Amino acid sequence: MTLYSVKVKVLKTHRGNAAWRRWRMLRGDEIGDYGRLPDLVRAYAAGRTFADIGCMWGVNGEYSFVAEEAGATAVTGVDVFGPTPEFEEKRRARGSSVRFVLGDATSAETIEQIGVADVVLCAGVLYHHPSPFDVLTALRRICGQTLILRTASIPEIPGLPNGAVYYPLLTDRQRRLWNLSSLGLGSQLGITGPFEPDAGYGNWFWGMTPSCLMTLARNAGFAVERHAREAFATTLVCRAVDVPFTHRLPGEAEARALGGAISAAGIARPQ
């Protein structure tokens, strides 16, 4: 067993997790807590437009309603399923103007429907997507000012910044390390059991370290302004900035000219 595996196993115990939080607090780090997410929404949403990406699973649009009550000028909730009966009942009971968009936030059509929001919340989504960078680039297209991003994560790997684990098709023994049932987490599809292709985004795809997550966010066009740490989760508050990485597909004439130039230079050779 590696030292890293021992570290993960200790952090999966209530005592080890609590000790880690105390140590981080003594270091002066901001410590995250899922229960504080509504406070973040209230702090940033007031007087601004707001979009909640992945708003349904387990919360039935609750953060969208929190943003509306905090004084957001317009609120849009987005998910790949729903709206749930609980969401519709809350919307009726509150006389709410929250708009719901059914769609995948990485699709151009859905992005167009959402439009640009000053503040974007994306919680509990990134690790459920096979291409988290695509999610972040989509969030950047939607986000006008501030992104509140919360995701499951894994502890940093000593000597390996930007490390990550891809969960699908690990063996039973390999998955066992990432099973967080000892901390009270329920089913982790693709971890507590085998990967289920038919379940789509319900599976856990990625275990990203905080350094990996922050680097992806920066590449997608976000400056990280706050980082709240937990042993197995990360919350970031980011400011939308110029996108440092993009790829523009050339037109046909430009593509042919580019192809000719590359061939003439003799640089496109198999390695």
Side-chain angles (χ1 to χ4, degrees), residues 28-205:
D29 295 334
E30 181 178 0
I31 304 302
D33 190 315
Y34 178 71
R36 297 176 190 163
L37 203 53
D39 293 334
L40 278 177
V41 171
R42 293 184 188 101
Y44 289 94
R48 297 178 175 88
T49 56
F50 181 88
D52 182 358
I53 310 303
C55 68
M56 284 296 153
W57 186 270
V59 291
N60 303 307
E62 181 62 24
Y63 300 123
S64 294
F65 297 124
V66 169
E68 186 177 50
E69 289 177 353
T73 56
V75 179
T76 300
V78 184
D79 214 314
V80 293
F81 77 100
T84 62
E86 293 89 346
F87 171 79
E88 295 287 29
E89 177 55 34
K90 287 180 183 179
R91 188 158 58 170
R92 282 192 298 269
R94 298 166 185 244
S96 171
S97 298
V98 170
R99 176 174 69 116
F100 177 73
V101 172
L102 175 65
D104 187 332
T106 60
S107 77
E109 180 182 350
T110 303
I111 291 171
E112 185 176 352
Q113 281 186 270
I114 298 167
V116 175
D118 297 328
V119 180
V120 175
L121 169 69
C122 183
V125 172
L126 211 60
Y127 57 98
H128 282 300
H129 200 285
S131 183
F133 185 69
D134 285 347
V135 177
L136 286 164
T137 56
L139 293 174
R140 179 61 187 87
R141 291 179 63 186
I142 297 164
C143 181
Q145 296 178 9
T146 302
L147 170 67
I148 304 169
L149 179 68
R150 179 179 170 82
T151 182
S153 58
I154 63 173
E156 288 290 350
I157 304 170
L160 189 64
N162 297 346
V165 174
Y166 187 65
Y167 296 128
L169 308 185
L170 292 178
T171 66
D172 291 347
R173 182 178 179 181
Q174 291 166 337
R175 290 197 312 267
R176 200 171 300 132
L177 181 64
W178 308 111
N179 185 334
L180 301 180
S181 59
S182 59
L183 294 175
L185 194 65
S187 176
Q188 298 167 263
L189 202 58
I191 293 179
T192 52
F195 178 73
E196 298 184 20
D198 291 342
Y201 293 157
N203 287 283
W204 287 50
F205 282 90

Side-chain angles (χ1 to χ4, degrees), residues 220-270:
F222 293 103
V224 178
E225 297 192 327
R226 291 178 64 181
H227 174 196
R229 294 166 169 82
E230 297 168 66
F232 294 101
T234 299
T235 302
L236 303 179
V237 177
C238 307
R239 175 171 44 88
V241 295
D242 290 340
V243 179
F245 169 82
T246 185
H247 176 73
R248 181 183 61 82
L249 188 67
E252 184 174 351
E254 185 183 356
R256 288 182 180 278
L258 181 61
I262 290 172
S263 291
I267 58 176
R269 298 176 178 174

